[in-house]
Amino acid sequence: NAGVMQNPRHLVRRRGQEARLRCSPMKGHSHVYWYRQLPEEGLKFMVYLQKENIIDESGMPKERFSAEFPKEGPSILRIQQVVRGDSAAYFCASSPGWANEKLFFGSGTQLSVL
Amino acid sequence: RKEVEQDPGPFNVPEGATVAFNCTYSNSASQSFFWYRQDCRKEPKLLMSVYSSGNEDGRFTAQLNRASQYISLLIRDSKLSDSATYLCVVYNQGGKLIFGQGTELSVKP
């Protein structure tokens, strides 16, 4: 009974490249959240998705960042033209339904931009 | 003003000490409250929920004061294994958890 799976665990990109972070929610969960944790800071909400829908993207930077959760396959957080300031830990969490306060977190992806 | 604010820390305490963390939140419509624990920037893990009546889990006691919009966590008889960052978390309408910046605890022998 796998938990929330994120890959890769570590991702190194050079400035200007694209980063794709993947998150497979727990079995039976249809809601996914992405959080970002910058060095020395707390977790900041980025986006909340349901299958094929973006519910709340109020925490997403206006440019270069996008997220999707297709009908089939994992949720993807995509960062285009990465900059050094994008270096952070990106955590995904899932829940079984709408507005369910019990979130299950993945182990995170550590993105390092050179 | 941040939605959730915590003591900045770090807290350095000897084994066996009692330590208290404080947290305030700005949204009076917040519905649920939690303390999470994070080790070495790994994924946060739920430590305990916080109820208005107060709740206890072994050496850990959590309190909520809705009128003051204040949450606390008390750890008694600190162990080395309690060393971690403690995150105050609030669940708001619209279905998302809002995290405080965390308070680092270091328990020394």
Side-chain angles (χ1 to χ4, degrees):
Chain A
N1 187 15
V4 178
M5 303 299 291
Q6 287 189 250
N7 67 81
R9 289 295 303 275
H10 301 277
L11 181 62
V12 179
R13 285 287 177 266
R14 296 191 181 280
R15 281 180 296 171
Q17 291 184 319
E18 179 179 286
R20 283 183 178 241
L21 288 62
R22 294 175 184 76
C23 170
S24 297
M26 283 185 73
K27 188 176 181 180
H29 287 194
S30 58
H31 293 245
V32 164
Y33 303 74
W34 285 94
Y35 285 80
R36 175 166 71 170
Q37 187 172 30
L38 294 168
E40 309 302 324
E41 294 190 14
L43 277 78
K44 293 286 192 283
F45 168 80
M46 298 182 77
V47 63
Y48 171 22
L49 308 114
Q50 191 186 5
K51 286 277 188 183
E52 300 184 280
N53 286 309
I54 296 175
I55 307 297
D56 182 345
E57 57 181 346
S58 59
M60 288 280 270
K62 295 287 185 277
E63 297 177 346
R64 302 186 297 108
F65 284 72
S66 62
E68 62 176 5
F69 188 16
K71 187 176 180 181
E72 301 291 339
S75 174
I76 306 286
L77 179 67
R78 182 182 178 207
I79 311 172
Q80 295 178 289
Q81 299 175 323
V82 296
V83 300
R84 290 225 172 99
D86 297 333
S87 295
Y90 291 82
F91 290 100
C92 169
S94 72
S95 72
W98 164 253
N100 189 309
E101 61 193 34
K102 292 272 193 259
L103 296 191
F104 296 81
F105 280 86
S107 300
T109 294
Q110 180 63 51
L111 172 65
S112 298
V113 180
L114 304 180
Chain B
R1 183 184 172 189
K2 291 181 181 177
E3 284 194 72
V4 180
E5 292 209 61
Q6 296 184 236
D7 289 336
F11 284 51
N12 297 300
V13 303
E15 269 188 293
T18 295
V19 60
F21 301 133
N22 302 312
C23 171
T24 57
Y25 60 96
S26 60
N27 187 346
S28 59
S30 297
Q31 299 175 316
S32 306
F33 309 90
F34 309 91
W35 284 100
Y36 275 69
R37 170 186 169 139
Q38 186 178 31
D39 292 82
C40 301
R41 293 178 65 83
K42 295 180 180 177
E43 73 272 25
K45 295 184 178 176
L46 179 64
L47 181 65
M48 58 197 304
S49 301
V50 188
Y51 305 113
S52 296
S53 54
N55 49 302
E56 190 173 307
D57 183 3
R59 297 180 293 108
F60 298 82
T61 301
Q63 289 277 356
L64 165 66
N65 184 321
R66 282 191 183 269
S68 303
Q69 296 179 203
Y70 169 85
I71 305 162
S72 66
L73 176 68
L74 185 76
I75 305 176
R76 290 181 300 278
D77 188 23
S78 300
K79 310 291 184 192
L80 296 177
S81 57
D82 294 334
S83 297
T85 297
Y86 290 82
L87 305 168
C88 176
V89 184
V90 170
Y91 180 78
N92 285 344
Q93 294 171 321
K96 62 193 185 196
L97 295 182
I98 306 297
F99 285 78
Q101 75 272 29
T103 302
E104 185 181 344
L105 171 66
S106 179
V107 181
K108 305 292 187 186

